[in-house]
Amino acid sequence: MQNNYYPFENYPLPYAFNALEPFIDEKTMELHHNRHLQTYIDNLNIALKNNVRLQKLSLEQLLSIAIKLPLNISRNAGGVYNHRFYFEGLTPNTQFLTEGELAKKINETFGSYENFVKQFKDAALSVFGSGYAWLVASWQRKLTIITTKNQENPITAGLIPIINIDVWEHAYYLKHYNKRGDYIDDWFGVANWVFAENNFLTF
Ligand code: MN
């Protein structure tokens, strides 16, 4: 469904802006998708406009060589990927994992789902300024929790994103004000574990 090549377009979300209430509010979702993501898409298209060779690369391919790219391309490519990934990783019908490959691996890696939640929250709280916390897998299928700053992305480090949380203030300030911890708790009320499981199974 997502177009992964230039020119990039901002497709509608697979759920209504108010669908994640009361965890994430309608206005935040609308601004986040229609303005913040849209701006990264517009700026990425502008940055790639005169670069025919880079236009042939997918978003993931751009990110895999991000350290070699001009900042206006790498930052905006990250902004597009990270936001799309974040929005796809949310759902009005959250289901906590109790079985399946990813649940098994989470239990094995973190001891329990509850321990994972705690460690993921701690990581998301630890991001200084703007960035993301991610559950990622290595090619050896080892799970870890990492953080990235600004619009940097795990693909650049050779890691496979499983699920992420955007902790830039625009992701929560209208509802949660400065209380990032409350937003992270609420994020667990709308996290899309089917999406995460698919990411884990399909690389
Ligand atoms: Mn954002």
Side-chain angles (χ1 to χ4, degrees):
M1 166 196 139
Q2 301 269 347
N3 73 316
N4 275 337
Y5 291 85
Y6 176 91
F8 295 93
E9 282 175 58
N10 198 10
Y11 288 135
L13 294 175
Y15 44 80
F17 290 128
N18 66 1
L20 306 179
E21 300 257 12
F23 301 101
I24 304 179
D25 64 285
E26 179 177 9
K27 195 71 192 165
T28 295
M29 290 302 296
E30 187 191 337
L31 293 172
H32 205 170
H33 179 269
N34 287 1
R35 300 205 191 179
H36 290 275
L37 172 54
Q38 185 68 54
T39 300
Y40 285 109
I41 286 177
D42 292 345
N43 287 339
L44 180 58
N45 286 334
I46 291 166
L48 290 171
K49 194 167 191 267
N50 295 314
N51 201 319
V52 178
R53 288 176 64 206
L54 291 180
Q55 285 173 11
K56 296 197 172 78
L57 300 186
S58 70
L59 198 48
E60 288 83 356
Q61 286 172 322
L62 287 170
L63 291 171
S64 70
I65 56 164
I67 52 171
K68 296 170 186 164
L69 296 174
L71 284 177
N72 66 336
I73 296 178
S74 60
R75 285 176 176 166
N76 287 303
V80 175
Y81 183 96
N82 295 351
H83 279 104
R84 285 177 166 186
F85 198 81
Y86 169 72
F87 290 134
E88 279 186 74
L90 298 173
T91 176
N93 309 304
T94 192
Q95 260 187 322
F96 290 123
L97 287 170
T98 51
E99 49 189 41
E101 285 297 302
L102 181 59
K104 208 174 119 198
K105 197 72 181 176
I106 283 176
N107 282 325
E108 211 178 284
T109 308
F110 303 100
S112 65
Y113 175 73
E114 290 69 31
N115 276 346
F116 160 73
V117 168
K118 191 183 174 306
Q119 288 184 39
F120 193 79
K121 182 178 180 181
D122 287 347
L125 281 171
S126 79
V127 176
F128 184 76
S130 297
Y132 295 77
W134 305 76
L135 178 64
V136 296
S138 67
W139 291 104
Q140 295 80 23
R141 303 183 78 76
K142 188 176 174 295
L143 288 181
T144 43
I145 295 167
I146 65 160
T147 62
T148 54
K149 58 185 173 153
N150 301 319
Q151 294 299 353
E152 290 174 7
N153 180 283
I155 292 173
T156 311
L159 297 165
I160 296 97
I162 305 298
I163 199 162
N164 72 350
I165 179 171
D166 183 344
V167 294
W168 286 57
E169 274 190 345
H170 64 239
Y172 61 90
Y173 199 85
L174 292 182
K175 176 179 166 67
H176 300 90
Y177 303 120
N178 60 326
K179 295 193 169 122
R180 189 190 286 182
D182 291 354
Y183 158 67
I184 298 165
D185 291 339
D186 275 350
W187 176 86
F188 278 102
V190 286
N192 188 344
W193 293 108
V194 174
F195 169 76
E197 169 96 350
N198 283 340
N199 291 328
F200 185 64
L201 294 178
T202 55
F203 71 85

